[in-house]
Every structure is written in C-alpha cells, then in structure tokens.
Amino acid sequence: MKAVFLGTPHAAVPALTALSQTATVEVVVTRPDRPRGRSGRPQPSAVKVAAESMGLHVAQPETSAGLEDVWDTVGGFDVALVVAFGMLISPSALARAPNRFVNLHFSILPRWRGAAPVQRALLAGDERTGVTLMRMDEGLDTGPSLVTVSTAIAPTDDAESLTARLARIGAVMVGTSLGSIGGLVAVPQDPDRATTAPKIRTDERWVDLAGTPASVLAAVRGLAPWPGAWVRHPTGGVRIIEAEDAGSQMPSGDLQLGADGLQLGLGAGAVRLVRVQPEGKRPMGGVDWARGLRGDLGRMT
C-alpha cells in the first residue's frame, strides 16, 4: 500500500510510525520550519524530525497551492493520512484522490470538530473522549466516521497527558485499520450532535473567578501546558499549575493562608492553590509563593 502522511506536532508522530510499519510512505508533508525558543531560530516540526530519522522524504509547502504541487511529484497513492497537519486540504486536492484522504481526529465525532478537541473536552468537563478515523470531505471534520475508539478522561488528565494517550490509541487504529480501509463502513455524522472546538486563544488563559471549583480545575487541566490557567494579582500574573477543591466558601478573589494551605475564593466555593508560577519566575508551591508576599496577600482578579 502506498501512502502519504500529513502532520506536524509531536502528537502526530505515533501515527506516522505506525503508518511506516504498514505501508510504503511516499512522502511526509509537514509545516515549514518556524522560529521557536529564545533563539528565535527556525526549528523543524516534530514530524519532520521523526520522518528524517526514518529516512522518509519530507515536503514542506507554505500554501495550499504548494500542497497541491506535492501531489504532482508523488503520483498515485492508496491513502493519505492526515493527523493535526495545521493546513486546510483544498477541495481540489481532495478531488484528485476521491475517498483516499482520511483524518485521525482526537475526539468522538461529531463532538468537538475543529483545532482544539482535547482542550475543549477538558474545559467542558467531559467524562469521555476518544479518537475517530474519518474520511475527509470539504467540511471541517464533517466527513463520515470509519472507526471510533473511546476512552475515559481521568481526573488527573490534562491536555498534554490526554493528547499523548489519544495519540497512542490513534497509532494502534492506524496499524489495525488502514490495511483494510477499503472494507470499512463509512457512517455519516449526525450534524444535530455536533459541537465545535476552535483554537485556544491566548486571552482564554484568564480564569473566571466567578466560577466554581469544577470550572477552575477544568481550566487548569484543559489549558496545560499552554497557555496555562492564569489569575491576576497586584504583583503580576500568576499561573495555576495544580489546584484542588478546598471544600470551603470564600469571597471571590480573596486569598487565605492557613493550615490547609493557600486558598482562593470563587463565586461558588474555593480552590487550594497547590502549585503556582508567578510571572517571570519558576514554578513553586502555593504556600511558598504566599509566604514570599510577607503577609500582604492582596486579592486575585
């Protein structure tokens, strides 16, 4: 079986590895190198690094038009697997290989169509999520489902750990399903059950202190590791890395340091700030941060 792979982040690498073990990968398509880190130097994507280590040919088109040029160099292929590629596949590209483009999506479609399904599932407090292998059409994650595997969301899961687990599940699906893709039954999605998962915006990092412990803990988990769940303090922004339901009631925004640790009041209830990261500083225990304020705890907003 001849295959093309399209993907970019770390979460796509397990699927690429599985595909390389079940098919001849003609080309790996990933996003162009981008500046990262303090140096600002262009860095390759995780998929590019993995593909080159496997000796696979890599293409990095800048635009959808450039992506179509890739097909001219590849020739025929049996399947094109897309995993978190980060660029829309144009209708004309899909038309070149009808029914051969499939997408590995980290949700149980039609719930959480879009760029941030894992984060949105956690922010919404979902109890389960999963991975769907779907046949691509011109819509955004609207194509018929071929295979779906669900998994429970653990109380300890955050966006990073849950994405890693879904990536592993997806890799198994690739290894067991793509070889018989022609025999898989395509099941249309129910549009009435669809929800959207738009990309996380930087401004969503600010925690709503009028909320509940459940909503704050969902933000801490769903926004980890980026952009993080932040609150405003007179000394600057403070990222909440780890928190737990304090089982108490305090005025929203109030801070209280006692035998039970550092508590933050909410609109309904309070959370214990177990681990925080003040802006420009290293992560530290919530109690250690509060003691460094020398008695003037101030208020969060």
Side-chain angles (χ1 to χ4, degrees):
M1 180 172 67
K2 292 183 178 181
V4 173
F5 183 86
L6 302 92
T8 299
H10 286 283
V13 172
L16 171 59
T17 302
L19 182 64
S20 69
Q21 296 169 351
T22 59
T24 300
V25 181
E26 299 291 320
V27 63
V28 173
V29 187
T30 189
R31 299 305 304 276
D33 297 0
R34 300 296 189 203
R36 293 187 183 88
R38 294 182 179 180
S39 69
R41 296 174 182 172
Q43 301 292 324
S45 71
V47 163
K48 179 180 180 180
V49 172
E52 290 183 338
S53 72
M54 299 177 197
L56 300 175
H57 175 59
V58 175
Q60 296 179 275
E62 286 277 1
T63 64
S64 295
L67 178 58
E68 291 202 42
D69 291 338
V70 173
W71 311 139
D72 295 330
T73 64
V74 173
F77 55 87
D78 299 300
V79 64
L81 176 62
V82 182
V83 187
F85 177 44
M87 181 190 295
L88 291 176
I89 312 298
S90 68
S92 58
L94 295 174
R96 285 194 176 196
N99 299 322
R100 295 181 189 175
F101 281 84
V102 295
N103 181 23
L104 198 65
H105 188 73
F106 294 161
S107 81
I108 303 175
L109 290 171
R111 187 161 178 79
W112 304 127
R113 295 171 173 173
V118 178
Q119 293 93 329
R120 296 299 176 187
L122 288 166
L123 289 170
D126 289 2
E127 294 183 354
R128 297 191 69 83
T129 188
V131 182
T132 301
L133 182 67
M134 55 160 283
R135 199 179 300 282
M136 296 181 68
D137 61 14
E138 296 182 14
L140 179 62
D141 300 326
T142 56
S145 300
L146 299 172
V147 183
T148 299
V149 174
S150 68
T151 184
I153 298 177
T156 55
D157 276 328
D158 62 20
E160 186 173 42
S161 66
L162 182 55
T163 297
R165 188 162 86 250
L166 295 177
R168 293 192 295 270
I169 293 172
V172 174
M173 292 171 66
V174 169
T176 57
S177 300
L178 282 192
S180 58
I181 192 168
L184 298 177
V185 178
V187 180
Q189 296 183 38
D190 180 357
D192 293 334
R193 295 175 49 238
T195 58
T196 57
K199 184 178 179 180
I200 298 294
R201 305 184 312 274
T202 303
D203 65 321
E204 291 186 80
R205 70 187 185 278
W206 300 110
V207 171
D208 181 8
L209 297 182
T212 64
S215 67
V216 172
L217 297 180
V220 171
R221 297 164 61 207
L223 300 176
W226 185 93
W230 291 77
V231 287
R232 296 179 177 90
H233 186 264
T235 60
V238 179
R239 179 188 173 196
I240 304 174
I241 299 176
E242 182 182 353
E244 56 191 21
D245 190 340
S248 59
Q249 181 68 52
M250 294 167 50
S252 177
D254 277 10
L255 289 167
Q256 178 178 302
L257 180 60
D260 290 334
L262 177 64
Q263 296 187 24
L264 168 63
L266 304 172
V271 292
R272 185 175 296 106
L273 301 181
V274 179
R275 193 163 177 79
V276 301
Q277 183 176 12
E279 197 168 11
K281 298 183 179 180
R282 294 181 178 181
M284 62 184 71
V287 171
D288 294 332
W289 172 73
R291 286 173 177 167
L293 298 175
R294 302 184 184 280
D296 184 12
L297 296 183
R299 297 186 75 256
M300 295 291 197
T301 59

